[in-house]
Amino acid sequence: MEGPDLGAFSFGLDDLAEAFASLSMFPIFEIAHYILMCQAVRSDSGGLTLSRKHPLANWVCCMLMCSAGGFISSLLLGLPLIGPLSKTPNVLLASAIWYVVFYAPFDAFHKVVTFPPILMLVYCVKELHRSHTILGGVLKARKVYSSGIIVQICIGIVHGAGSGFMLNFQRLVRGKWSPETNQILHPTVVLKECLISAILFTTGVLPINQDQLLLLTGIVMVIVKVTLTLTNVSDPFKPIENVLCMPIFGKVEAMAAEKKKKE
Amino acid sequence: MEGPDLGAFSFGLDDLAEAFASLSMFPIFEIAHYILMCQAVRSDSGGLTLSRKHPLANWVCCMLMCSAGGFISSLLLGLPLIGPLSKTPNVLLASAIWYVVFYAPFDAFHKVVTFPPILMLVYCVKELHRSHTILGGVLKARKVYSSGIIVQICIGIVHGAGSGFMLNFQRLVRGKWSPETNQILHPTVVLKECLISAILFTTGVLPINQDQLLLLTGIVMVIVKVTLTLTNVSDPFKPIENVLCMPIFGKVEAMAAEKKKKE
Amino acid sequence: MEGPDLGAFSFGLDDLAEAFASLSMFPIFEIAHYILMCQAVRSDSGGLTLSRKHPLANWVCCMLMCSAGGFISSLLLGLPLIGPLSKTPNVLLASAIWYVVFYAPFDAFHKVVTFPPILMLVYCVKELHRSHTILGGVLKARKVYSSGIIVQICIGIVHGAGSGFMLNFQRLVRGKWSPETNQILHPTVVLKECLISAILFTTGVLPINQDQLLLLTGIVMVIVKVTLTLTNVSDPFKPIENVLCMPIFGKVEAMAAEKKKKE
């Protein structure tokens, strides 16, 4: 996540950073996001059966996933939980995407979207969208808690990785309950990226301005996503974690040993 | 749901519609609602055992069901979740109903209320109450989101069919967890009625005013309820759904077939 | 809960009551609270394994427990759910306690804290803290619902016994789901104490002022806790309940008998 050679970076890319920061997410970036969310519901076990037998539950699941960050951050910030559904154009767009993902003639849309080069493009657009939503979350939280560093980081994470938190509840709508895992217990790479980005956005420790940080975050996320998709690296943060966790949490083996003694 | 011969209808029934719209729900209509909610808790599996062994949990369950629409819509609209409990007269009335349903001497109240003609009367009053609560929900949502069509429909549904959504959580209080089903996955007739009513109230597409629509909704709901109770029709919406779902969601067999091919 | 010889009590203890009421909870009382909450997470089944394998989930669990009353009461009162996390000093203090409880060298902190005399001291401080939080909850609710007696009692209970309500959700974060029990279904002694205290604070039926009631509540809770810890009394409220429940809920055997007849 370290900005490599920041001098050169800020020199050549200033205008790009500004342009990227002022990009409207609606509709192109939102479309990529909605496609991946609906595909996630579809590829979850029983997704196709659900779409045939329970179109209403299917639609609710997709809407929950498409606006996951909005729903959860609204709940956390005490705003109307239903707020995301009040943006009618977004809901209609998401519903259209939902329809073509599941019910397009000859399943054409699904086939096009899962064609690897196109899928990779959608992935990249989605990662750029994610960097924008993380910053959006931090700024949204800052309006309510101007000095609440922890709150701002939390809402940033929730905005960027909301669908991961929503997964268990979305499954519940489908009549499946999977309490044995969740994103906090088994943090995904995306969650860790969001955590680091939210910390950077909130604290502003890097010597670059917000627009540049946004661009940097977006680019790094795209690179990580492409790398993870094309190679079989599973978690680039693992080595760092292993090094850091030992000294910080390492005394626990002693505890476990002692526990045995007691028993 | 089509208003049969609306001209004649609005001519003869205008005053009735106005009178019905200005009817106070408290206490008669609320009583019918509370009776049916407490009876629902009682007839749910383990209801009687619960009432003997865990009166507190039993009371909490009944309160959750009696104000289900209020609780859920408050949560969705960002209002205090505990709001419904602040209406002390309603809570006291509901508690009194709760007490006589479960603990009346000789179980007299339960026997009277489940006597078929009386039960049918309670059902009818409850359906009229439901039509009022749906409109109440739509208007409540309109105050917060004046142009949020989808939000208004959702809150209308939640007000009219709140107990169905609350069911899973009420069971959780009793130590039972039934994630395998819910009202979105298996929509009840009541949910479908609420959906249609909420759409009609929100959009105002029918050429009648709001009071008339309220009366019409109430009457249709009473008719549906009486018909469903006396005959063995299970879902009057099924034929329409079967006709509509084919062309809209019909391509899925192809998807399932294709899925098999892949596997 | 009866104040024994109130005349003498209020005479000698007036100043003490005032001093106790104006005591700051931060940091001494909060520390006792945080220690017991983290210890509760640690002693819950799988707590030590969790701390080693999933430090993030472990931290989230402890934060949920440490601010349980704050989270739940915020949800119920429509305030930002994340509010408790905006008190940065409290979160940092709780995190420090979390760290030393789980990861201190040689497990020293855990050993010191579970040394019986020290543990008893922590218990007592925590009970005094609890009496303060119950009153805090009642006053917080009174600001929103000045005449909502039931709401004030509920929020008082939630503040005083919040960790009991949070337990099931905290386990969910750890991937464990225990729906078969909860604090409403099986009320703890603490819940009953909180219920009685909240009723006394809300209604003001005792002929003593609020400061004196606060001190009385605190002292009684300490006595109850010490008694329960040192003796094998399990629930001092049981005898009273048994006497009261018979006439109030006693008709249910008849119901059960009748149910059998029907079957």
Side-chain angles (χ1 to χ4, degrees), chain B residues 126-158:
Chain B
K126 158 73 197 172
E127 293 302 314
L128 296 176
H129 177 262
R130 193 193 303 282
S131 67
H132 265 265
T133 54
I134 296 172
L135 178 57
V138 169
L139 297 179
K140 192 175 168 188
R142 195 171 288 168
K143 265 187 222 160
V144 187
Y145 294 104
S146 57
S147 61
I149 300 283
I150 298 162
V151 172
Q152 291 174 26
I153 294 172
C154 287
I155 302 292
I157 294 171
V158 158

Side-chain angles (χ1 to χ4, degrees), chain B residues 121-208:
Chain B
L121 182 70
V122 175
Y123 277 156
C124 293
V125 175
K126 158 73 197 172
E127 293 302 314
L128 296 176
H129 177 262
R130 193 193 303 282
S131 67
H132 265 265
T133 54
I134 296 172
L135 178 57
V138 169
L139 297 179
K140 192 175 168 188
R142 195 171 288 168
K143 265 187 222 160
V144 187
Y145 294 104
S146 57
S147 61
I149 300 283
I150 298 162
V151 172
Q152 291 174 26
I153 294 172
C154 287
I155 302 292
I157 294 171
V158 158
H159 259 237
S163 58
F165 293 106
M166 188 58 88
L167 194 64
N168 297 46
F169 299 96
Q170 170 255 314
R171 283 194 182 138
L172 190 52
V173 172
R174 299 163 53 185
K176 310 213 161 177
W177 179 236
S178 49
E180 67 286 339
T181 186
N182 62 63
Q183 201 176 214
I184 298 172
L185 197 60
H186 299 288
T188 56
V189 174
V190 165
L191 184 76
K192 291 168 191 171
E193 288 180 321
C194 290
L195 173 64
I196 295 170
S197 310
I199 292 175
L200 294 178
F201 281 127
T202 303
T203 57
V205 288
L206 288 194
I208 54 178

Side-chain angles (χ1 to χ4, degrees), chain A residues 18 29 32 43 49 58 60 64 94 123 126 139 161 168 171 175 202 209 218 231:
Chain A
E18 229 173 279
F29 290 77
S43 61
T49 315
N58 188 24
V60 171
L64 284 178
Y123 278 156
K126 159 73 198 173
L139 296 179
N168 298 47
R171 283 192 182 141
T202 303
N209 68 34
T231 68

Side-chain angles (χ1 to χ4, degrees), chain A residues 173-237:
Chain A
V173 172
R174 299 162 53 185
K176 309 213 161 176
W177 178 235
S178 51
E180 67 286 338
T181 186
N182 62 64
Q183 200 176 215
I184 298 172
L185 196 61
H186 299 287
T188 56
V189 174
V190 165
L191 185 76
K192 292 168 190 169
E193 287 179 322
C194 290
L195 172 64
I196 294 170
S197 310
I199 291 176
L200 294 179
F201 281 127
T202 303
T203 57
V205 289
L206 288 193
I208 54 178
N209 68 34
Q210 190 173 281
D211 289 355
Q212 291 164 347
L213 181 56
L214 181 62
L215 183 62
L216 177 64
T217 308
I219 290 172
V220 171
M221 283 181 170
V222 167
I223 293 171
V224 169
K225 184 72 190 180
V226 171
T227 312
L228 290 184
T229 311
L230 296 183
T231 68
N232 55 5
V233 174
S234 68
D235 187 343
F237 296 101

Side-chain angles (χ1 to χ4, degrees), chain C residues 64-99:
Chain C
L64 285 178
M65 290 293 274
C66 285
S67 304
F71 285 120
I72 303 176
S73 69
S74 295
L75 181 67
L76 293 180
L77 290 172
L79 304 170
L81 191 54
I82 210 169
L85 290 190
S86 71
K87 296 179 194 161
T88 308
N90 290 51
V91 177
L92 293 181
L93 180 60
S95 301
I97 300 288
W98 162 77
Y99 186 82

Side-chain angles (χ1 to χ4, degrees), chain C residues 36-54:
Chain C
L36 290 177
M37 292 299 107
C38 291
Q39 287 287 350
V41 173
R42 189 184 153 130
S43 62
D44 203 358
S45 85
L48 276 175
T49 314
L50 180 84
S51 70
R52 183 74 195 92
K53 288 197 185 159
H54 308 289

Side-chain angles (χ1 to χ4, degrees), chain B residues 42 54 81-82 99 102 173 177, chain C residues 76 177 179 182 185 248 255:
Chain B
R42 189 184 153 129
H54 307 289
L81 191 54
I82 209 169
Y99 187 81
F102 283 97
V173 172
W177 179 236
Chain C
L76 293 180
W177 178 235
N182 62 62
L185 197 61
I248 303 180
M255 290 163 92

Side-chain angles (χ1 to χ4, degrees), chain C residues 1-22 128 131-132 135 197 200-201 204-221:
Chain C
M1 214 73 205
E2 314 77 47
D5 198 349
L6 283 173
F9 180 81
S10 63
F11 169 74
L13 299 176
D14 246 16
D15 292 344
L16 181 59
E18 228 172 279
F20 180 61
S22 58
L128 296 176
S131 68
H132 264 266
L135 178 58
S197 310
L200 293 178
F201 281 126
V205 289
L206 289 193
I208 54 179
N209 68 34
Q210 189 172 283
D211 289 356
Q212 290 164 349
L213 181 57
L214 182 62
L215 182 62
L216 176 64
T217 308
I219 291 172
V220 171
M221 282 182 170

